[in-house]
Every structure is written in structure tokens, then in C-alpha cells.
Amino acid sequence: MRVAVIGSGFGGLGAAVRLRREGITDFVVLERADSVGGTWRDNSYPGCACDVPSHLYSFSFAPHPDWPRTFSGQQHIRAYLEHVADTFRLRPHLRLNSEVKKMTWDTELLRWDIETTGGDYSADVVVSATGPLSDPKVPDIPGLDTFPGKVFHSARWDHDYDLAGKRVAMIGTGASAIQIVPAIQPEVGRLTLFQRTPAWVMPRIDRPISGVERALHRALPLTTQLRRGLLWGIRELQVQAFTKHPNELGFVEQLAKRNMARAVKDPELRAKLTPDYRIGCKRILLSSTYYPALARDNVDVVASGLSEVRGSTVVAADGTETEVDAIIFGTGFRVTDMPISERVVGADGRTLAETWKTGMAALRGAAAAGFPNWMTIIGPNTGLGNSSMILMIESQLNYMADYLRQLDVLGGRVALDARPSAVNAWNRKVQERMERTVWNTGGCTSWYLDASGRNTTIWPGTTTEFRRATRRVDLAEYEVVRAAVAKDAVKKATSAEAGGDGDGAGSAGPQVEVGA
């Protein structure tokens, strides 16, 4: 087929819609689960919701006038993605229960051979949209395998397990944990929160969207666009504080401290919950219920990470011991070492994981050197710390569309392979800009950083800048690779017409057009 899309979250479904709009119907969307939705299918824990306003956290080409709340819950976002799959007639392209086990580049035929649990495929181009928040990360805790109670990750919530009256350990204080804690606090017997690092938490100004507002959006679609544009513009104006002037965020810190003080009266607890790093260094979290839940009598906050499990006793790094019936990990995902990278084998026989061993890097967040006709959506340094990832996804879809147009213009059996020099130049500029950002200078350790301390996750600029950078494919940044088979066929035909012997002696392997 022409294109294989991996994953059916926002990135994968967005890619599928764009392919159809470009007139390409010869494609499949390979999904390991039994339904679409990506992270919004997998994360169904109590209280799960988005921290980006609904009208900004949706496709510009698929506005939704009927969002029920200003910040939508998981079930509404998942329903929206199902709606997108139906509205744009994507169902025939879906291949559910088809987890990709391996993708191998065929250097002779210039195509990707794809092995999945649902069958094998070949594609000219692969668009990888597996997303960075797809594979849960559970720390290696000594004794965890001997724990007699229930253990699960927030992204694999066990809805059959009844938490009522149980003693529960919540591990982590990230975006998932601050939603889970207030959701389960009223029903559990006792909740112990293991906090390795406190988070900065701002109030969540959430409310139902009135029937009048929704009726207006349905009757006048322009009002939906205006609402989305206003939300976008406010966030664009905030970017400089994160990327160039982190010290300006001190005022926001004071607002966050007041938010805490209103709900937490105990000075000892407030001291535990107050971060010692600049706000914005980690993602700023939004909740109006997190601090009130921590102040309840049945909640304990341990200002230390989990270090050991002894039977039904969990032991913190500071020595605190607690008896629990269940352990819930809210410890994030494998972002800088995505498992899909171990399954992608490029032109030189190396996996993407081996290529990225010293750190992820991709040209304009999309193309990796040595992996022709392979693109990733939400690739290295495309994440955002304050706005909607849908904006970045749509920019990358523009790049994908032009990439496919360039292949059509070049004609024949052809591939584009990002030049190492272009990847390095792009990555160097990104990292230079990253040096002054709050994510690098704020004094924290976050999941934005890889094992070597390099920020390979966040985009150090505005979404407008990224859209400009990904509007067109610059062929000077790529090597144009043509199949040796096609070259030999042309040579044989030419030789036969000229009365030659037609042995078509040509070099084996692909032919590279330098300076295309």
C-alpha cells in the first residue's frame, strides 16, 4: 500500500483524515487495541480529564460545538475521536488488534515490511503516530513482585477492583495523580501519597458549557473558531516567559502558593507541598480539588519516593513504612525511550533505538536519518509545556502531506532520507534555544529530559514558529534514493533499443541522487 499509519489516537486519525483529503485512499491505520482513541482510550482512571480547554484540544478541521465542559473529561474526548473516525469514513482503513512487532526497510524495493499481530503489510511510507504517552513506566522497586495486594498503573486502571475502604498507596504526583487523588479519596479507607517531588498546582477554572453557548456555536460556526482563536492567542503570548524570561514566572508562583494556602492550613503539610524549583520547569498542573483532598483526615503525604516493598508494607526512601492493600503507580510513560523505536529497523540494519542511543533527534520533529520514507507524529522536541498538542500535530500533518507530494513529483520508486547534516543542524538549533528556557534552567528533573539530561521532548518556541518550520519539505535536507531495480530496468531497455547486449550491469542497492 501507499501509506501505513501506526496508532489511532489524535496523531493517527489526523494523519488518516489528511491522507483522504490529499486524495490518498491506499492506506491502513494499524492499531494494537480493539478501538481507536490512543491515550484517551487507555487512560480511563477516575477523574481523568484534559488540562487544555476543549475548543483548543480538538482538530481545526473537525470543530465540535457541543463540548459539555470547558475542560473535557476522558469519556468526551474519546467519544470525539470515535466521531472523527465515523465522520471522515476512516473505519474501512482501520486494522484493529494489529500491534506492530517489527518494521524493516527493504533497501532493494524501497518499502517498509511490517509485521503485526494481525498480519503482515508492506508500505511505501510509514507514518508513526504511536505517541509518547502510550507505554506506561513502572519503576523497578525491590520486593514489588511479592506484594500480596493489587498493583496497577494509572494508564491500565483495574475497574474490577473495588477501592472502597482499602488502604491505598498512590505513587507519584504528576498530572494523573492529581486527578486520581481527589477522585478516590472519599471512598478509600486510607490514602498514602508518595511524593518524590511536589508539583506546582494552579486552580482549574472548569465549568459546564451552557446550552445557549452550544446552540450559538452550532448556529454560527464562526463563534467556535473565535473561541478557539482566543484560547490559542493567550497561550502564544505566554510562551516567551517559558522560553526566554523564566524569571517573569515568579508572579505565577505566588498565585500557586495562594491556591495552596487557601486549601491547606497545616504549615507542615504546606512545606511538604511547596516546590523548590521554578514554576514551569515541570508541567504546571491544574486542579481545584487536589489540595483540599490532601488536607482530609484519611490522607497522608510522604515527602519521599517509594524505595522498597516488604510483603504488604511499602517503604519510602526516608524510611517511612505503611501497610497497604493496593499500590497505584502514577509514574508516567516511556517518553524518551519509546518502545516503538526498538521495532523500527532502518537502511543500515540498525534500530531507531540504537540510532537514538545518545538522544532522540529528528529533522523538524519528523524524519530520522537512515530511515527513508518514515515519519513520526509528535516526534522529538515537538511537545508543549503550555498549549494544545493538536496544534503541533496539525503542523506535522502539513509536513507529511508535502512530503508525499514531493515523492509524487519525483516519480517512480523513490524515497527521501533525511541527511544526517540536516538532522544535526536542526537539532543543534533547537538545543541552543533550549538552553535559556525554564525547562532547562528551572532547577528540576522532569520527564522532559532524557537519561543524559538533554531536553529532547519540548519545542522551545511558539506553535506559530513550528507551523512555519513545517509548512514545506526542503529537498536540500534530504537524499533522494531510487531503487536499483528501477535503474537496471531503464538501463536494460535503453541497451536493447540501442542494439546492445542488454546485460543491464548496474550496482546493487539503491541509487542516491546527491544534491536533489
Side-chain angles (χ1 to χ4, degrees):
M1 64 203 59
R2 179 69 168 144
V3 182
V5 179
I6 318 299
S8 68
F10 268 100
L13 294 182
V17 172
R18 190 57 184 270
L19 288 172
R20 287 189 63 94
R21 288 190 154 192
E22 293 292 317
I24 299 171
T25 57
D26 183 19
F27 71 91
V28 293
V29 179
L30 302 172
E31 169 56 56
R32 66 184 177 185
D34 60 3
S35 61
V36 303
T39 192
W40 295 105
R41 175 201 58 236
D42 295 342
N43 287 270
S44 60
Y45 57 79
C48 184
C50 190
D51 60 0
V52 175
S54 305
H55 287 278
L56 192 59
Y57 200 77
S58 48
F59 291 121
S60 63
F61 54 79
H64 186 45
D66 286 313
W67 287 115
R69 302 191 67 85
T70 51
F71 290 88
S72 290
Q74 173 263 344
Q75 69 275 26
H76 300 119
I77 298 173
R78 184 178 180 184
Y80 171 76
L81 290 171
E82 295 280 1
H83 171 73
V84 168
D86 290 330
T87 301
F88 292 93
R89 304 193 303 277
L90 304 182
R91 300 286 180 189
H93 300 281
L94 294 174
R95 301 294 181 269
L96 303 175
N97 299 305
S98 297
E99 181 177 4
V100 172
K101 307 304 289 184
K102 191 176 185 181
M103 286 184 281
T104 306
W105 177 249
D106 187 325
T107 57
E108 295 296 323
L109 299 179
L110 300 192
R111 71 182 188 191
W112 285 97
D113 294 326
I114 308 166
E115 303 171 26
T116 84
T117 55
D120 296 340
Y121 300 84
S122 291
D124 296 336
V125 178
V126 165
V127 178
S128 181
T130 58
L133 306 182
S134 57
D135 290 279
K137 181 172 63 177
V138 176
D140 185 14
I141 305 294
L144 182 61
D145 57 343
T146 66
F147 181 68
K150 193 68 178 178
V151 179
F152 53 87
H153 190 278
S154 60
R156 301 292 184 267
W157 195 271
D158 188 340
H159 291 278
D160 293 329
Y161 183 73
D162 186 5
L163 290 172
K166 299 292 196 307
R167 300 167 300 174
V168 179
M170 181 74 226
I171 315 301
T173 52
S176 298
I178 71 157
Q179 294 179 342
I180 293 169
V181 166
I184 68 172
Q185 175 270 319
E187 65 174 304
V188 302
R190 186 142 212 96
L191 179 60
T192 304
L193 177 67
F194 286 76
Q195 171 193 267
R196 191 170 57 179
T197 309
W200 286 106
V201 182
M202 294 288 286
R204 179 187 180 89
I205 314 301
D206 186 25
R207 64 171 178 84
I209 297 178
S210 69
V212 173
E213 290 174 273
R214 284 183 271 173
L216 179 64
H217 292 329
R218 284 194 299 271
L220 298 172
L222 180 62
T223 61
T224 306
Q225 297 174 23
L226 290 173
R227 186 171 189 159
R228 177 187 174 89
L230 179 61
L231 292 167
W232 165 78
I234 291 171
R235 281 155 181 77
E236 289 290 273
L237 293 173
Q238 295 171 348
V239 171
Q240 284 208 357
F242 289 86
T243 59
K244 295 180 180 179
H245 309 291
N247 288 334
E248 293 180 359
L249 293 166
F251 172 69
V252 185
E253 283 184 9
Q254 295 306 313
L255 294 178
K257 287 180 179 178
R258 283 184 208 165
N259 178 47
M260 184 197 305
R262 279 194 294 267
V264 180
K265 304 305 180 184
D266 179 3
E268 184 178 342
L269 180 56
R270 277 206 307 271
K272 286 183 181 180
L273 299 175
T274 302
D276 61 358
Y277 55 87
R278 174 64 76 196
I279 193 170
C281 185
K282 291 174 179 280
R283 189 175 181 97
I284 301 173
L285 306 181
L286 303 181
S287 177
S288 298
T289 56
Y290 178 62
Y291 287 140
L294 295 184
R296 299 296 183 187
D297 292 338
N298 67 332
V299 178
D300 295 313
V301 176
V302 177
S304 184
L306 179 64
S307 66
E308 185 182 357
V309 176
R310 300 175 191 154
S312 59
T313 301
V314 289
V315 184
D318 65 0
T320 302
E321 297 186 7
T322 309
E323 291 275 333
V324 297
D325 304 305
I327 302 174
I328 302 172
F329 285 98
T331 45
F333 300 85
R334 293 180 61 181
V335 175
T336 58
D337 61 337
M338 294 186 290
I340 190 67
S341 65
E342 300 164 3
R343 307 177 188 188
V344 185
V345 182
D348 61 359
R350 291 196 304 164
T351 65
L352 187 62
E354 291 171 322
T355 301
W356 283 351
K357 192 174 183 179
T358 57
M360 297 191 302
L363 177 61
R364 303 184 188 276
F371 297 83
N373 284 8
W374 181 91
M375 303 186 68
T376 182
I377 306 295
I378 315 184
N381 290 112
T382 60
L384 296 176
N386 76 310
S387 192
S388 172
M389 280 305 303
I390 312 305
L391 301 168
M392 302 296 279
I393 289 172
E394 290 196 25
S395 292
Q396 291 200 290
L397 297 183
N398 291 339
Y399 195 74
M400 176 199 75
D402 197 53
Y403 191 103
L404 292 166
R405 289 189 212 111
Q406 296 295 339
L407 290 176
D408 287 340
V409 169
L410 291 167
R413 178 64 64 178
V414 65
L416 293 176
D417 189 3
R419 295 178 182 276
S421 58
V423 176
N424 292 338
W426 171 263
N427 191 53
R428 185 169 56 253
K429 289 178 183 176
V430 168
Q431 293 303 322
E432 285 173 357
R433 292 184 63 180
M434 196 70 71
E435 288 177 2
R436 62 192 295 189
T437 68
V438 69
W439 306 299
N440 279 34
T441 65
C444 72
T445 300
S446 72
W447 58 266
Y448 299 152
L449 310 179
D450 63 17
S452 62
R454 204 158 58 101
N455 193 326
T456 57
T457 306
I458 296 292
W459 168 245
T462 65
T463 61
T464 303
E465 289 177 287
F466 189 76
R467 176 150 293 203
R468 282 199 299 264
T470 53
R471 183 168 287 132
R472 296 282 184 270
V473 169
D474 181 359
L475 283 182
E477 296 180 328
Y478 289 87
E479 290 180 347
V480 180
V481 185
R482 293 192 181 275
V485 174
K487 289 271 187 178
D488 289 349
V490 171
K491 190 173 288 187
K492 286 180 182 179
T494 304
S495 178
E497 288 175 6
D501 59 13
D503 64 2
S507 60
Q511 305 297 313
V512 177
E513 298 179 9
V514 180

